Amino acid sequence: MTRHSIGEALAARLYTAEAAIDRALADAAALAAALPEARAQAWLSAVTGQRAFTGAAAAISALAEARGHLVQTHNTLAALARKMGLEALAVGPVDKPGDTPPVGGGVCPEGDTSRNVVNKSLPSIGEPC
């Protein structure tokens, strides 16, 4: 394996981990948002659901902290890749800080169908827009 292919594999795993944390955070937030409504619909006292709401809020806090640790890991790996002279190893349809103009999401500016929105280090996926 080359350093570049190792970097690509790590970038893919990092993207997967970041996406998983984001999904878990969104799901936990949806649960926390649903709890007060469910309590009210069931005609339960606020005291009855407080422990569940506190638990959901604690989970959100823990996931937010975990997300921050992954962001730190991302930044550390990006700095290491630059230090090793590896080209950008972006994975996924999201913008990275410094993408000018923004290229993520597979969305081209109005009328622009010629721009390739995939990082050059990734295989081409055909017509992006």
Side-chain angles (χ1 to χ4, degrees):
M1 290 187 88
T2 66
R3 287 183 176 177
H4 187 76
S5 65
I6 292 168
E8 285 178 338
L10 286 176
R13 287 180 185 262
L14 177 63
Y15 175 76
T16 299
E18 290 171 338
I21 289 287
D22 283 350
R23 279 190 310 275
L25 190 54
D27 289 345
L31 172 64
L35 288 173
E37 183 67 26
R39 182 201 56 80
Q41 288 177 351
W43 295 91
L44 297 173
S45 162
V47 173
T48 303
Q50 184 57 41
R51 271 201 242 166
F53 190 79
T54 299
I60 292 168
S61 179
L63 287 166
E65 186 175 347
R67 188 179 189 284
H69 289 298
L70 272 180
V71 167
Q72 289 174 340
T73 299
H74 187 131
N75 291 336
T76 300
L77 288 172
L80 180 59
R82 282 191 304 275
K83 187 175 183 179
M84 294 174 64
L86 299 175
E87 60 185 81
L89 298 171
V91 174
V94 294
D95 290 333
K96 303 296 182 195
D99 281 352
T100 305
V103 296
V107 177
C108 287
E110 190 173 319
D112 183 358
T113 60
S114 62
R115 202 164 49 103
N116 186 355
V117 298
V118 178
N119 184 294
K120 299 267 189 253
S121 68
L122 298 175
S124 176
I125 58 170
E127 185 61 34
C129 299

